[in-house]
Amino acid sequence: IRAMEKEIEKLTDHIVVCGAGSTGEHVIRELLEAEEKFVVIDMDPDRVALLCESLDARILFVEGDATDDLSLTRARVKHARGVIAVLHDDKDNVFVTVSVRALNKKATIIAKAVEISAKSKLRRAGAHRVVSPNEIGGRRLVSEMIRPYAVEFLDRLLSVDRTLRIEGVLIPPGSNLVGKRLMDATIRKTGALVVAIRDMEGGYEYNPGPEAKIQAGDSLIVIARHVDMERLREALEKNTLLR
């Protein structure tokens, strides 16, 4: 236990997962497959031990109440880049959101809402994104009925090769891509495929053509494997994406 505490004490720019229940299990699985740094807060060490066994992975873990500032501090939430609140009760997720926002104003907070009515409360509390598993489940059920092949395609895209992901890459002001056309960039050579461009106001240009202009603050939405994403981010950082 002490060895794990020392490892947690060194964490920075990581993700804190509040809750290892039915939803938290899937969150943990995804973070492991994405090779992200994270630590879990949960009151049941046996539950986390079972997860470690079933996922055949070592999971950094803080035993405690995620609504308690002490547990959040032990998980180094002040140094985290993000927090995912997936506790069973909406009130607890609201409380976690308020506590995290007080401890770390820069962290991205993603919260689960059991009831649809809790979504607005979580946003007011400081959550950047709120996800309702019940709402998503309902949409998925309808999609399976009326657009099964589209659903099958997305499932295959994200599950046949578990390293394949849809991710967003932010274009910083200093990038030499700013003001350039998509056709002027060598993004495809990294193995990534641009499927949309999101501007600073939240608007999307889907399936952008070669003449699409790239502006500072845009996010390129790409389909890429993990290794390709690393290659793309490195090339973007080094300004080596122009022909």
Side-chain angles (χ1 to χ4, degrees), residues 6-135:
K6 288 184 177 180
E7 193 170 347
I8 293 172
E9 288 170 2
K10 298 176 183 178
L11 285 176
T12 59
D13 196 37
H14 60 294
I15 296 170
V16 178
V17 180
C18 298
S22 55
T23 304
E25 176 181 350
H26 293 289
V27 170
I28 291 166
R29 186 187 301 272
E30 287 295 313
L31 290 174
L32 285 170
E33 291 178 350
E35 299 181 5
E36 292 282 354
K37 294 186 298 182
F38 69 96
V39 57
V40 178
I41 304 175
D42 197 274
M43 298 179 68
D44 187 352
D46 292 336
R47 178 187 300 157
V48 178
L50 286 173
L51 279 177
C52 290
E53 183 177 348
S54 64
L55 298 175
D56 191 24
R58 182 171 177 271
I59 299 171
L60 296 181
F61 167 63
V62 170
E63 181 181 353
D65 185 350
T67 65
D68 185 353
D69 284 1
L70 178 59
S71 297
L72 291 169
T73 299
R74 288 170 59 202
R76 287 179 62 81
V77 74
K78 293 179 182 179
H79 303 275
R81 69 180 177 90
V83 174
I84 302 177
V86 285
L87 299 175
H88 294 295
D89 191 279
D90 285 331
K91 292 180 180 178
D92 288 340
N93 287 323
V94 170
F95 200 93
V96 167
T97 300
V98 172
S99 298
V100 171
R101 183 53 64 232
L103 293 169
N104 184 340
K105 298 187 182 303
K106 295 182 179 180
T108 299
I109 302 175
I110 311 298
K112 179 182 81 170
V114 179
E115 301 294 335
I116 298 297
S117 60
K119 295 178 73 173
S120 60
K121 295 177 182 177
L122 285 160
R123 290 195 184 97
R124 289 198 300 270
H128 293 84
R129 298 283 189 277
V130 180
V131 177
S132 169
N134 291 334
E135 182 180 8

Side-chain angles (χ1 to χ4, degrees), residues 162-222:
R162 295 298 292 174
T163 64
L164 199 63
R165 288 290 184 270
I166 299 177
E167 297 194 31
V169 181
L170 179 66
I171 304 298
S175 173
N176 63 355
L177 292 181
V178 174
K180 304 297 183 181
R181 299 170 301 175
L182 196 58
M183 64 184 295
D184 297 324
T186 57
I187 296 171
R188 288 295 299 272
K189 289 186 177 180
T190 67
L193 173 65
V194 179
V195 295
I197 299 177
R198 180 188 187 276
D199 61 32
M200 293 181 65
E201 285 71 41
Y204 282 86
E205 181 178 357
Y206 298 100
N207 191 24
E211 297 290 337
K213 286 286 188 70
I214 301 172
Q215 304 296 343
D218 284 352
S219 289
L220 305 181
I221 311 303
V222 304

Side-chain angles (χ1 to χ4, degrees), residues 123-173:
R123 290 195 184 97
R124 289 198 300 270
H128 293 84
R129 298 283 189 277
V130 180
V131 177
S132 169
N134 291 334
E135 182 180 8
I136 291 174
R139 291 178 178 176
R140 172 62 185 252
L141 289 167
V142 173
S143 294
E144 289 281 7
M145 175 62 69
I146 65 177
R147 54 184 79 92
Y149 299 123
V151 173
E152 181 184 19
F153 168 74
L154 289 173
D155 281 348
R156 290 180 63 82
L157 176 68
L158 298 177
S159 63
V160 172
D161 184 344
R162 295 298 292 174
T163 64
L164 199 63
R165 288 290 184 270
I166 299 177
E167 297 194 31
V169 181
L170 179 66
I171 304 298

